[in-house]
């Protein structure tokens, strides 16, 4: 594996974990937040490399929304951060794909989620709209070792 790509993924993981710490602490999240105004701020994380594409865009801190909606938005962002860490870490471990797969695309926005695994020829091998299924599949592919990352699904 390209050491430069591995380092870029590790740096992204560090930033994602810092954003998760910000979100979990209850302070304002500054990493991966774009937009302006009372209702137009959003969490956005994009990643592209030869094996993995991630495109997450979710509402963040919409002050005109009720407390329950804001909490649900924050929970979804927390899950997105954890999924991004899991995907990047699994890619670095070389455990992202099953036989016949070469590329994974994952997207998440207000309209829903989608993941697609592609073959080397570019055809879709597996796809779905439930990211919990994707997370379960990836977790099963990882060896159970003492130093693996602990990720909690909200």
């Amino acid at each position: 594996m390209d050491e430069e790509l591995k380092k870029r993924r590790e740096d992204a993981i560090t930033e994602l974990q810092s954003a998760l710490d910000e979100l979990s602490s209850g302070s304002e999240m500054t990493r991966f937040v774009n937009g302006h105004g009372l209702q137009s701020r959003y969490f956005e994380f994009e990643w592209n490399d030869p094996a993995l594409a991630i495109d997450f865009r979710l509402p963040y801190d919409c002050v005109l929304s009720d407390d329950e909606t804001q909490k649900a938005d924050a929970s979804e962002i927390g899950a997105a951060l954890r999924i991004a860490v899991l995907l990047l870490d699994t890619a670095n471990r070389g455990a992202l794909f099953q036989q016949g797969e070469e590329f994974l695309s994952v997207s998440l926005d207000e309209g829903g989620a989608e993941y697609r695994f592609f073959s080397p020829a570019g055809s879709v091998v597996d796809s779905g709209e439930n990211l919990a299924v994707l997370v379960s599949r990836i977790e099963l592919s990882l060896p159970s070792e003492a130093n693996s990352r602990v990720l909690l699904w909200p």
Side-chain angles (χ1 to χ4, degrees):
M1 176 184 298
D2 179 7
E3 288 302 315
E4 182 180 328
L5 176 56
K6 192 171 185 173
K7 171 81 168 92
R8 281 185 44 232
R9 287 177 181 157
E10 284 297 327
D11 291 346
I13 288 169
T14 300
E15 283 295 308
L16 289 161
Q17 289 174 324
S18 294
L20 186 58
D21 290 344
E22 284 179 339
L23 186 67
S24 299
S25 73
S27 64
E28 183 174 350
M29 194 167 87
T30 58
R31 290 169 174 85
F32 309 112
V33 174
N34 294 303
H36 61 285
L38 300 175
Q39 289 293 108
S40 62
R41 294 179 68 197
Y42 55 91
F43 159 78
E44 184 174 46
F45 178 73
E46 292 181 280
W47 179 266
N48 285 294
D49 71 38
L52 179 62
I54 302 171
D55 184 14
F56 293 166
R57 189 175 196 275
L58 297 166
Y60 171 72
D61 196 27
C62 299
V63 297
L64 298 180
S65 299
D66 61 51
D67 287 343
E68 190 173 306
T69 300
Q70 286 187 32
K71 286 179 185 177
D73 289 347
S75 178
E76 192 166 10
I77 290 169
L81 288 164
R82 288 177 183 92
I83 290 170
V85 168
L86 177 65
L87 292 169
L88 291 165
D89 182 55
T90 305
N92 265 357
R93 293 172 186 260
L96 194 56
F97 303 116
Q98 296 176 3
Q99 187 170 346
E101 298 172 342
E102 182 177 85
F103 185 79
L104 171 61
S105 173
V106 182
S107 63
L108 175 64
D109 61 24
E110 290 180 89
E114 179 180 46
Y115 67 89
R116 293 181 292 172
F117 285 92
F118 293 89
S119 71
S123 60
V124 175
V125 176
D126 184 22
S127 65
E129 296 178 353
N130 186 340
L131 293 185
V133 172
L134 174 64
V135 169
S136 295
R137 176 191 153 152
I138 290 172
E139 287 177 338
L140 288 173
S141 72
L142 293 172
S144 58
E145 54 188 49
N147 67 348
S148 64
R149 298 183 194 273
V150 176
L151 295 167
L152 302 176
W153 185 255

